[in-house]
Amino acid sequence: MTVREEGELAHKRVLVKVSGEALMGSEPFGLHWPTIERIAQDLVEARLTGAEIAVVVGGGNILRGARVASDGLDRATADHMGMLATVMNALALEKAIEFAGSPARTLSAIPMPTICEPYARQPALKHLARGRIVLLAGGTGNPYFTTDTGAVLRAAELQCDAVMKATNVDGVYTADPKTDPTATRYDRLTHDEALAKDLKVMDAAAFALAREARLPIIVFSIREPGAIASAIRGEGRATTVAP
């Protein structure tokens, strides 16, 4: 095991995956601005550790493509609608991050240059190197892929050290801890174990891509203030899914 010196970061360039539902706060739908402000402040504090930070945000607080498709729309159209929801969320989070004192840029896999920059790898890397928090919207730009898969794809492209999966629980459990009091938390898993156990933290395509890219996935709770910075430093309660 490598021993880190005090103050040394466990992960120097990370991709933080934030679900759309995390932005709802106490609301049943849409955006809860105090919650967005808190998450933005956490991201700014995490950047102040010296880490380079990219963020992929989901769109489930506004529209989830797979769910809408089951109501009659074709899947491709529904997924594109879901991708647009992620752009709205990223723009809101970008503004909150700037209010909190850090430069930020939204880049979308679906080109919409009058609203935000189109995603391309080299500009994203330049923004990261200049200390900007980079919000990556629009998923992969293709239907049938979740934002979890998009997060792992972007993390691999941008040579991130880890994917930080921010959830409502402090790691990966043997069962849903909200409904099963006997559920226990894993401290560490391999990608193969996560796939074999069919753990629902990320979809199988995301786990498989992370395994191929040898990317660790750190699963932690975003509910605690400062949780993102703690995870980047390798502190706090979390589950690490790694080779």
Side-chain angles (χ1 to χ4, degrees):
M1 179 182 294
T2 302
V3 177
R4 294 192 306 276
E5 295 181 2
E6 185 177 355
E8 184 180 354
L9 298 179
H11 311 289
K12 295 183 179 179
R13 179 184 293 165
V14 300
L15 187 140
V16 180
K17 171 56 178 28
V18 179
S19 70
E21 287 87 346
L23 305 182
M24 292 193 303
S26 58
E27 299 294 329
F29 173 83
L31 300 170
H32 183 245
W33 190 250
T35 298
I36 294 171
E37 286 181 317
R38 180 182 61 78
I39 293 173
Q41 185 62 48
D42 278 4
L43 287 165
V44 171
E45 290 176 4
R47 187 186 73 83
L48 292 176
T49 67
E52 296 178 355
I53 300 175
V55 182
V56 166
V57 61
N61 58 318
I62 298 172
L63 186 145
R64 188 177 294 279
R67 188 177 302 160
V68 174
S70 67
D71 293 334
L73 274 178
D74 66 272
R75 177 64 185 271
T77 299
D79 279 356
H80 280 116
M81 292 167 64
M83 292 177 215
L84 295 177
T86 72
V87 177
M88 290 188 276
N89 284 338
L91 291 172
L93 192 52
E94 175 192 42
K95 189 55 63 178
I97 290 168
E98 290 179 341
F99 284 155
S102 175
R105 291 290 186 279
T106 296
L107 281 67
S108 171
I110 301 173
M112 45 184 77
T114 60
I115 296 174
C116 59
E117 293 183 38
Y119 171 77
R121 179 173 177 268
Q122 291 300 330
L125 288 169
K126 288 179 181 178
H127 286 312
L128 289 171
R130 291 170 181 166
R132 295 167 181 151
I133 295 174
V134 177
L135 296 117
L136 303 167
T140 67
N142 300 290
Y144 295 97
F145 291 97
T146 66
T147 49
D148 280 346
T149 301
V152 177
L153 172 63
R154 296 294 181 239
E157 286 181 324
L158 299 175
Q159 298 178 306
C160 292
D161 298 319
V163 176
M164 319 296 286
K165 169 81 170 178
T167 70
N168 290 323
V169 292
D170 58 354
V172 181
Y173 282 75
T174 54
D176 186 347
K178 296 177 183 177
T179 58
D180 186 348
T182 67
T184 58
R185 184 176 61 86
Y186 296 103
D187 286 326
R188 191 174 183 88
L189 289 162
T190 66
H191 297 106
D192 286 333
E193 287 172 332
L195 285 165
K197 294 175 186 294
D198 194 26
L199 300 172
K200 301 299 184 182
V201 179
M202 282 188 165
D203 61 88
F207 272 132
L209 181 55
R211 178 180 59 185
E212 181 179 347
R214 301 190 65 77
L215 264 171
I217 300 169
I218 316 298
V219 184
F220 66 101
S221 172
I222 200 171
R223 290 180 176 271
E224 294 296 325
I228 298 172
S230 292
I232 288 173
R233 289 193 296 264
E235 302 169 354
R237 287 170 62 86
T239 298
T240 299
V241 184

